[in-house]
Short mmCIF file of all heavy atoms in Angstrom, two decimals:
data_model
loop_
_atom_site.label_atom_id
_atom_site.label_comp_id
_atom_site.label_asym_id
_atom_site.label_seq_id
_atom_site.Cartn_x
_atom_site.Cartn_y
_atom_site.Cartn_z
N ILE L 831 131.66 -47.57 -26.63
CA ILE L 831 131.52 -47.60 -25.15
C ILE L 831 130.83 -48.91 -24.81
O ILE L 831 129.63 -49.10 -25.06
CB ILE L 831 130.70 -46.36 -24.67
CG1 ILE L 831 131.45 -45.09 -25.05
CG2 ILE L 831 130.45 -46.44 -23.15
CD1 ILE L 831 130.74 -43.79 -24.73
N VAL L 846 133.21 -46.02 -18.59
CA VAL L 846 133.25 -44.62 -19.03
C VAL L 846 132.07 -43.83 -18.46
O VAL L 846 130.95 -44.36 -18.36
CB VAL L 846 133.27 -44.57 -20.58
CG1 VAL L 846 132.68 -43.29 -21.13
CG2 VAL L 846 134.69 -44.75 -21.10
N GLY L 847 132.31 -42.62 -18.06
CA GLY L 847 131.20 -41.69 -17.73
C GLY L 847 130.60 -41.83 -16.36
O GLY L 847 129.45 -41.41 -16.16
N HIS L 851 129.79 -35.10 -15.69
CA HIS L 851 130.77 -34.44 -16.54
C HIS L 851 130.13 -33.96 -17.84
O HIS L 851 128.97 -34.27 -18.14
CB HIS L 851 131.90 -35.42 -16.90
CG HIS L 851 131.45 -36.54 -17.79
ND1 HIS L 851 130.69 -37.60 -17.35
CD2 HIS L 851 131.63 -36.74 -19.12
CE1 HIS L 851 130.45 -38.42 -18.34
NE2 HIS L 851 130.97 -37.92 -19.45
N ASP L 853 131.38 -33.88 -21.99
CA ASP L 853 132.40 -34.61 -22.76
C ASP L 853 133.57 -33.75 -23.22
O ASP L 853 133.36 -32.63 -23.70
CB ASP L 853 131.76 -35.31 -23.96
CG ASP L 853 130.84 -36.45 -23.52
OD1 ASP L 853 131.16 -37.08 -22.47
OD2 ASP L 853 129.82 -36.69 -24.17
N LEU L 866 124.75 -40.69 -28.82
CA LEU L 866 125.05 -42.02 -28.37
C LEU L 866 123.97 -42.99 -28.90
O LEU L 866 122.77 -42.80 -28.62
CB LEU L 866 125.10 -42.06 -26.83
CG LEU L 866 125.65 -43.29 -26.17
CD1 LEU L 866 127.11 -43.56 -26.56
CD2 LEU L 866 125.57 -43.18 -24.64
N THR L 878 121.44 -43.55 -18.06
CA THR L 878 122.30 -42.37 -18.08
C THR L 878 121.48 -41.16 -17.60
O THR L 878 120.31 -41.01 -18.02
CB THR L 878 122.84 -42.10 -19.51
OG1 THR L 878 123.43 -43.33 -19.98
CG2 THR L 878 123.90 -41.01 -19.53
N TRP L 986 117.67 -46.94 -21.40
CA TRP L 986 118.00 -47.26 -22.77
C TRP L 986 117.21 -48.43 -23.36
O TRP L 986 116.93 -49.39 -22.66
CB TRP L 986 119.49 -47.62 -22.85
CG TRP L 986 120.40 -46.47 -22.60
CD1 TRP L 986 121.01 -46.13 -21.41
CD2 TRP L 986 120.77 -45.45 -23.55
NE1 TRP L 986 121.75 -45.00 -21.58
CE2 TRP L 986 121.63 -44.54 -22.87
CE3 TRP L 986 120.49 -45.21 -24.90
CZ2 TRP L 986 122.20 -43.43 -23.49
CZ3 TRP L 986 121.05 -44.11 -25.51
CH2 TRP L 986 121.90 -43.24 -24.83
N TRP L 994 123.01 -35.09 -26.93
CA TRP L 994 123.00 -34.05 -25.90
C TRP L 994 123.97 -32.93 -26.25
O TRP L 994 124.96 -33.15 -26.94
CB TRP L 994 123.29 -34.60 -24.53
CG TRP L 994 124.60 -35.31 -24.34
CD1 TRP L 994 125.78 -34.73 -23.95
CD2 TRP L 994 124.87 -36.71 -24.48
NE1 TRP L 994 126.76 -35.69 -23.84
CE2 TRP L 994 126.22 -36.92 -24.15
CE3 TRP L 994 124.10 -37.83 -24.82
CZ2 TRP L 994 126.83 -38.16 -24.18
CZ3 TRP L 994 124.69 -39.07 -24.85
CH2 TRP L 994 126.03 -39.22 -24.53
N HIS L 1001 126.29 -35.03 -17.76
CA HIS L 1001 125.67 -36.35 -17.70
C HIS L 1001 126.53 -37.31 -16.89
O HIS L 1001 127.71 -37.04 -16.63
CB HIS L 1001 125.40 -36.93 -19.10
CG HIS L 1001 126.63 -37.10 -19.92
ND1 HIS L 1001 127.27 -36.04 -20.54
CD2 HIS L 1001 127.36 -38.20 -20.24
CE1 HIS L 1001 128.32 -36.46 -21.21
NE2 HIS L 1001 128.42 -37.78 -21.03
N ALA L 1003 126.88 -41.78 -16.50
CA ALA L 1003 126.42 -43.14 -16.81
C ALA L 1003 126.39 -43.93 -15.51
O ALA L 1003 127.42 -44.04 -14.84
CB ALA L 1003 127.36 -43.77 -17.82
N ARG L 1013 126.63 -54.32 -22.47
CA ARG L 1013 126.00 -53.00 -22.72
C ARG L 1013 126.89 -52.38 -23.79
O ARG L 1013 128.08 -52.15 -23.55
CB ARG L 1013 125.98 -52.15 -21.46
CG ARG L 1013 125.39 -50.74 -21.64
CD ARG L 1013 125.53 -49.95 -20.33
NE ARG L 1013 124.83 -48.68 -20.33
CZ ARG L 1013 125.38 -47.50 -20.72
NH1 ARG L 1013 126.63 -47.47 -21.19
NH2 ARG L 1013 124.68 -46.39 -20.64
N MET L 1015 127.45 -49.48 -26.86
CA MET L 1015 127.01 -48.20 -27.40
C MET L 1015 128.07 -47.64 -28.34
O MET L 1015 129.25 -47.93 -28.17
CB MET L 1015 126.82 -47.16 -26.28
CG MET L 1015 126.32 -47.67 -24.96
SD MET L 1015 124.57 -48.04 -25.01
CE MET L 1015 123.92 -46.54 -24.35
N ARG L 1017 129.40 -43.83 -29.88
CA ARG L 1017 129.21 -42.38 -29.69
C ARG L 1017 129.94 -41.57 -30.75
O ARG L 1017 131.13 -41.75 -30.97
CB ARG L 1017 129.73 -41.96 -28.31
CG ARG L 1017 129.30 -40.53 -27.95
CD ARG L 1017 129.90 -40.07 -26.65
NE ARG L 1017 131.14 -39.35 -26.85
CZ ARG L 1017 131.99 -39.01 -25.89
NH1 ARG L 1017 131.72 -39.36 -24.64
NH2 ARG L 1017 133.10 -38.37 -26.16
C1 LIG A 36 129.53 -40.97 -21.89
O1 LIG A 36 129.85 -40.39 -20.87
O2 LIG A 36 129.65 -40.45 -23.01
C2 LIG A 36 128.93 -42.35 -21.79
C3 LIG A 36 127.50 -42.35 -21.45
C4 LIG A 36 126.91 -43.73 -21.34
O3 LIG A 36 127.58 -44.74 -21.61
O4 LIG A 36 125.74 -43.82 -20.97
#
Side-chain angles (χ1 to χ4, degrees):
I831 298 176
V846 153
H851 68 285
D853 291 327
L866 192 61
T878 308
W986 292 97
W994 59 90
H1001 61 283
R1013 177 184 189 270
M1015 326 285 263
R1017 192 184 94 192

